[in-house]
Amino acid sequence: QVQLVESGGGLVQPGGSLRLSCVASGIIFRLSAMGWYRQAPGKQRELVAAVDRGGSTNYVRSVKGRFTISRDNAKNTVYLQMNSLKPEDTAVYYCNTKMTRTDYWGKGTLVTVSS
């Protein structure tokens, strides 16, 4: 079955950096588009960044220039490098992929940006 396992969250001060990782199994990773979503308390889940199987990326406007999504097909892993973090980036971050019109999600990793 499809499994997505996130790691790398934690507490960081404003202006700091974190790198999230998501290891995928049960899919043909090199053929799969991957995304990072986040959900802050009281808010809807939103797409933060995505990378298609060709390596093309897109970002929500609020993270452009600060976050970078990348993939390593040899390791079945997608990353989210987050720099210049702000308190408003605080959220649970989820890894996502779609297969046969079904969304698959990891359990999420909590990122807290606070001094």
Side-chain angles (χ1 to χ4, degrees), residues 23-115:
V23 179
S25 60
I27 61 173
I28 304 175
F29 184 82
R30 61 182 174 84
L31 299 181
S32 302
M34 302 296 298
W36 284 99
Y37 286 70
R38 68 185 178 187
Q39 187 164 21
K43 294 189 176 181
Q44 287 191 329
R45 193 172 295 190
E46 66 169 352
L47 176 63
V48 176
V51 57
D52 68 14
R53 62 184 186 180
S56 295
T57 59
N58 66 81
Y59 300 90
V60 67
R61 181 181 296 183
S62 60
V63 308
K64 280 183 179 179
R66 300 189 297 122
F67 290 12
T68 303
I69 189 170
S70 62
R71 62 190 299 155
D72 185 336
N73 290 342
K75 295 182 178 180
N76 282 13
T77 301
V78 60
Y79 303 99
L80 186 67
Q81 178 67 45
M82 306 186 295
N83 298 328
S84 302
L85 282 161
K86 304 176 181 179
E88 51 263 43
D89 295 316
T90 295
V92 178
Y93 285 71
Y94 298 91
C95 184
N96 168 272
T97 192
K98 294 175 177 58
M99 190 170 68
T100 60
R101 293 181 289 180
T102 299
D103 275 298
Y104 294 92
W105 301 93
K107 293 183 178 180
T109 185
L110 176 63
V111 172
T112 303
V113 185
S114 174
S115 55

